[in-house]
Amino acid sequence: MKTKPTLEQLALVTDRMHARLAARNVVRASWFDETMTLMEARFAERLEDPHHLASSRAAALAFIKAALHQWATRPAHEAGGNHPPA
């Protein structure tokens, strides 16, 4: 049986992920912060108890991880900077 993560555990994960992104790319770290805030609020709206932030934060983190994974595994022809001459 899986247990739900606590806010403290999620804070550790998000802080570590933010630090790793910031070390590589400041723009991506900023995107992470903005998206995390937006998605957490969006998921919290749909909860029965909007003050139970652990569920909405976990869902927002899962969304961000999936988006980053999709970005990292996109085909080479979709990667930025590889546009054919016009």
Side-chain angles (χ1 to χ4, degrees), residues 13 45 52 67:
V13 172
E45 289 175 353
H52 184 62

Side-chain angles (χ1 to χ4, degrees), residues 1 4-5 10 42-43 45 48-49 59-60 64:
M1 176 168 62
K4 293 185 179 182
L10 290 166
R42 187 173 280 179
F43 287 123
E45 289 175 353
E48 292 177 12
D49 181 10
I64 288 174

Side-chain angles (χ1 to χ4, degrees), residues 7 10 35-61 63:
L7 280 174
L10 290 166
T35 305
M36 188 71 182
T37 301
L38 178 71
M39 294 308 294
E40 186 176 337
R42 187 173 280 179
F43 287 123
E45 289 175 353
R46 296 181 181 175
L47 293 175
E48 292 177 12
D49 181 10
H51 299 292
H52 184 62
L53 296 178
S55 296
S56 60
R57 189 165 295 165
L61 185 60
F63 172 83

Side-chain angles (χ1 to χ4, degrees), residues 3 6 12 20 52 54 57 64 72 80:
T3 60
T6 64
L12 288 172
R20 290 176 67 195
H52 184 62
R57 189 165 295 165
I64 288 174

